[in-house]
Amino acid sequence: MQSKKLYKIILAAVLTSCFFLCSCENTQSEIDSFNKKDIAVEVGKNVVIKYSVAGIKKAILTGPLMYRVQDTVPYIEFPKNIHVDFFGIRDSIESKLDAKYARYKESQSKVFLKDSVRVINVKGDTLYCDELYWDRIRTGAEFYTDKPVRIRTKTQIIDGIGMEARQDFKEYVIKHPTGVVSVPATQFPN
């Protein structure tokens, strides 16, 4: 009696194995599709973000399009331009930033800016570069890059590789200057 029972259990196990072996056939694209996770994306249009600390206005950020992506590392992306006005203690604009692209990693409190990045301070000094980081944690050196930069003042054009600057862009350090051209204000190129 027990051998019949054992025989039925073994037969059922063999048939089940054969069934699963014969029926498990998927293409690589089907497997990839099954394993692919859906990423949640929130979309904002004509976005205005006001940033303040202890009730004091620090910055106003605007952009025509914003994506908030809930990936493994969540981030916010501005794929079509970004403009930021930075404010000082007296509620006046200290500097302005423009770029064609920005990505903010929330967990790092860091913004990566690229493509026609420009920062202008109240004196009119202007930074031009292709890539710039804006890191709010780095007090006194919130802007930095290791890429080529050009700074244009009223009387000079300064080129270099790598730079650190305060968020108000009143003070900056070019790590590897490659040239300074002094130009009288009346003959300064556009």
Side-chain angles (χ1 to χ4, degrees):
M1 185 83 145
Q2 268 199 329
S3 63
K4 272 187 172 184
K5 207 177 209 183
L6 183 60
Y7 174 74
K8 286 182 181 181
I9 291 172
I10 292 173
L11 182 62
V14 170
L15 289 175
T16 304
S17 297
C18 288
F19 173 75
F20 282 114
L21 289 174
C22 294
S23 66
C24 288
E25 189 174 320
N26 294 329
T27 65
Q28 185 62 41
S29 63
E30 290 172 328
I31 293 168
D32 292 342
S33 175
F34 179 75
N35 290 331
K36 187 178 180 181
K37 67 175 184 174
D38 289 331
I39 298 174
V41 178
E42 298 172 19
V43 178
K45 294 183 179 180
N46 299 317
V47 177
V48 176
I49 299 172
K50 297 178 180 181
Y51 175 68
S52 63
V53 174
I56 299 170
K57 180 170 44 175
K58 293 293 183 181
I60 296 178
L61 180 149
T62 58
L65 183 62
M66 179 188 90
Y67 299 127
R68 178 184 296 271
V69 181
Q70 298 299 326
D71 201 356
T72 310
V73 177
Y75 62 90
I76 297 174
E77 185 174 57
F78 291 87
K80 293 185 176 183
N81 298 329
I82 185 173
H83 174 81
V84 183
D85 290 327
F86 296 100
F87 293 86
I89 296 171
R90 295 184 186 99
D91 203 28
S92 60
I93 295 176
E94 288 187 330
S95 60
K96 297 178 179 190
L97 177 144
D98 289 289
K100 290 188 177 178
Y101 176 87
R103 178 179 277 200
Y104 171 58
K105 291 189 177 176
E106 296 177 83
S107 62
Q108 298 174 359
S109 192
K110 185 186 299 184
V111 181
F112 171 68
L113 304 143
K114 73 175 186 175
D115 198 5
S116 302
V117 180
R118 184 180 68 182
V119 179
I120 304 170
N121 67 17
V122 292
K123 297 186 296 183
D125 297 343
T126 307
L127 163 70
Y128 299 94
C129 60
D130 287 328
E131 290 184 7
L132 184 70
Y133 285 93
W134 168 27
D135 187 344
R136 296 182 317 197
I137 295 173
R138 292 174 49 138
T139 306
E142 292 87 358
F143 293 139
Y144 64 94
T145 185
D146 61 355
K147 304 294 184 198
V149 298
R150 170 169 277 182
I151 297 176
R152 190 170 162 174
T153 70
K154 291 183 179 174
T155 59
Q156 293 181 325
I157 297 174
I158 308 164
D159 291 323
I161 308 293
M163 184 232 39
E164 291 183 351
R166 291 179 12 185
Q167 187 170 286
D168 61 11
F169 197 56
K170 290 180 181 175
E171 295 178 13
Y172 50 84
V173 174
I174 296 179
K175 297 197 177 193
H176 304 285
T178 58
V180 176
V181 177
S182 296
V183 180
T186 58
Q187 296 178 349
F188 202 73
N190 291 329

